[in-house]
């Protein structure tokens, strides 16, 4: 004797099924969490704006450096963007290559070990990266910087004089590149592994080599994911504090010279270094620079979302 289980009929005239209490609780919790995030974000923005107003309205001579608020923040914004762009340019190709090797070239056991090893880089504290950069990486790069000055000194990026300590903007960018490498690599690897096997097998059945299969099937499918991971890494590089504060030798304004001792600082590193000794309008100035970093990070995230959505319409996933 068999019995069938019937679902409760929906209320007359509604045309919808009855939601269980657990579903309603989960939906309410998820909605509340989303609203809470927006409230916190709005609260942070309001705090930054309110605390930055005194610096925005203060005379130029009251701002540190006597150059006004724009003259104070501009080199910091430039240094922040320059270090982050260097990190992104170095880390993204390397992260994609690592992700492809782990996903499609390495043997299974080796791929698991390499994946864990790369992911462990994200667990290392930033201050450890800073010590590694200043005591090991920077001295090792001094001969390379001297070579760049001799051979490529006609390019403004390597005009020199080369730093004798190695604490340059290029060194800071390389340290940041290592720090964002696990983020970009992990996201890219997961996206590449989600490529439908039908796409890969179809390319191989048509006589494509492994690299041709990756170029025609894997990379188009995962392009939007790689862009999204790169933007997440860029956000990490924009807000990094201790590693840059330790590695970078700050003694200059806006300059594209990557191998000299005169380097602009970044917003986050400048706040960390100057805040303990600041008071009054100086604190408001630092908060105003933090507001600039907040706006930059928000703009980067919005741009990343727009790029990912646009690229997804033309990716191999569709």
């Amino acid at each position: 004797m068999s019995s069938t289980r019937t679902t409760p009929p929906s209320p007359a005239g509604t045309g919808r099924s009855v939601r269980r209490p657990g579903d309603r609780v989960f939906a309410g919790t998820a909605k509340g969490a989303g609203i809470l995030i927006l409230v916190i974000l709005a609260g942070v923005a309001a705090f930054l704006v309110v605390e930055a107003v005194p610096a925005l309205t203060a005379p130029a001579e009251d701002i540190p450096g006597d150059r006004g608020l724009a003259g104070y923040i501009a080199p910091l914004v430039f240094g922040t963007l320059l270090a982050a762009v260097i990190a992104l340019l170095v880390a993204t190709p390397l992260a994609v290559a690592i992700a492809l090797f782990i996903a499609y070239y390495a043997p299974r056991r080796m791929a698991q070990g390499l994946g864990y090893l790369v992911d462990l880089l994200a667990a290392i504290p930033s201050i450890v990266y800073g010590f590694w950069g200043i005591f090991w990486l920077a001295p090792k790069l001094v001969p390379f910087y001297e070579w760049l000055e001799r051979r490529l000194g006609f390019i403004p990026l390597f005009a020199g004089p080369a730093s004798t300590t190695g604490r340059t903007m290029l060194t800071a960018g390389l340290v940041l590149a290592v720090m964002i490498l696990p983020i970009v690599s992990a996201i890219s690897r997961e996206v590449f592994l989600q490529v439908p096997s039908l796409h890969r097998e179809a390319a191989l059945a048509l006589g494509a080599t492994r690299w041709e299969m990756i170029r025609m099937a894997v990379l188009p499918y995962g392009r939007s994911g790689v862009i999204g991971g790169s933007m997440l890494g860029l956000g990490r590089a924009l807000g990094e504090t201790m590693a840059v504060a330790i590695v970078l030798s700050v003694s200059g304004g806006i300059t594209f010279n990557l191998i000299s001792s005169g380097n602009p600082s970044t917003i986050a590193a400048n706040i960390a270094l100057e805040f303990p000794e600041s008071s009054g309008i100086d604190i408001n100035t630092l908060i105003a620079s933090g507001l600039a970093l907040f706006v930059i990070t928000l703009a980067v995230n919005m741009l990343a979302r727009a790029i990912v959505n646009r690229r997804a319409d033309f990716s191999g996933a569709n």
Side-chain angles (χ1 to χ4, degrees):
M1 182 176 179
S2 61
S3 61
T4 58
R5 183 178 180 181
T6 59
T7 57
S10 59
T14 61
R16 296 181 298 178
S17 61
V18 178
R19 298 178 65 184
R20 299 177 179 178
D23 294 335
R24 291 196 294 268
V25 171
F26 178 79
T29 303
K31 184 177 181 180
I35 296 175
L36 179 62
I37 292 175
L38 295 178
V39 170
I40 294 175
L41 186 64
V44 171
F47 167 79
L48 292 175
V49 171
V50 170
E51 293 296 327
V53 167
L56 294 172
T57 57
E61 57 271 14
D62 292 341
I63 304 297
D66 298 330
R67 295 172 297 173
L69 186 61
Y72 179 84
I73 295 180
L76 301 177
V77 172
F78 175 81
T80 300
L81 295 176
L82 182 59
V85 169
I86 293 173
L88 194 65
L89 293 177
V90 174
T92 301
L94 185 58
V96 172
I98 293 173
L100 289 174
F101 177 76
I102 294 175
Y104 293 106
Y105 284 95
R108 183 180 300 273
R109 292 184 178 179
M110 180 186 294
Q112 292 178 350
L114 287 177
Y116 293 145
L117 182 62
V118 174
D119 293 341
L120 280 175
L121 292 176
I124 300 177
S126 60
I127 193 169
V128 175
Y129 280 111
F131 287 142
W132 169 73
I134 191 174
F135 291 121
W136 189 88
L137 182 62
K140 299 292 184 182
L141 290 175
V142 170
F144 177 63
Y145 292 157
E146 294 174 349
W147 181 88
L148 287 176
E149 181 186 4
R150 291 194 305 268
R151 301 295 183 180
L152 302 176
F154 59 91
I155 301 176
L157 296 176
F158 313 119
S163 172
T164 58
T165 62
R167 299 177 61 187
T168 67
M169 181 61 71
L170 184 55
T171 303
L174 293 177
V175 172
L176 289 177
V178 177
M179 296 181 68
I180 69 175
L181 181 65
I183 299 175
V184 184
S185 178
I187 296 177
S188 301
R189 183 173 72 247
E190 294 301 321
V191 172
F192 293 154
L193 290 174
Q194 297 302 318
V195 178
S197 59
L198 182 62
H199 292 190
R200 295 183 276 109
E201 292 171 358
L204 294 173
L206 292 174
T209 62
R210 185 178 300 183
W211 165 243
E212 290 172 339
M213 178 271 293
I214 291 174
R215 183 169 56 86
M216 294 186 297
V218 176
L219 292 180
Y221 185 93
R223 185 177 293 119
S224 60
V226 172
I227 295 174
S230 300
M231 293 300 103
L232 286 177
L234 178 61
R236 167 74 188 276
L238 288 172
E240 179 52 43
T241 304
M242 290 309 302
V244 178
I246 293 174
V247 172
L248 191 61
S249 175
V250 180
S251 59
I254 296 178
T255 176
F256 286 96
N257 193 340
L258 302 180
I259 62 173
S260 69
S261 298
N263 305 288
S265 183
T266 65
I267 295 177
N270 181 72
I271 293 175
L273 293 174
E274 299 295 335
F275 189 83
E277 301 178 359
S278 299
S279 61
I281 193 65
D282 293 346
I283 294 181
N284 299 113
T285 303
L286 293 177
I287 294 177
S289 66
L291 177 61
L293 180 60
F294 179 84
V295 173
I296 292 172
T297 305
L298 187 62
V300 167
N301 290 333
M302 294 176 62
L303 178 63
R305 176 63 62 181
I307 293 175
V308 169
N309 291 338
R310 181 177 178 82
R311 295 301 304 181
D313 295 335
F314 304 98
S315 69
N318 297 321

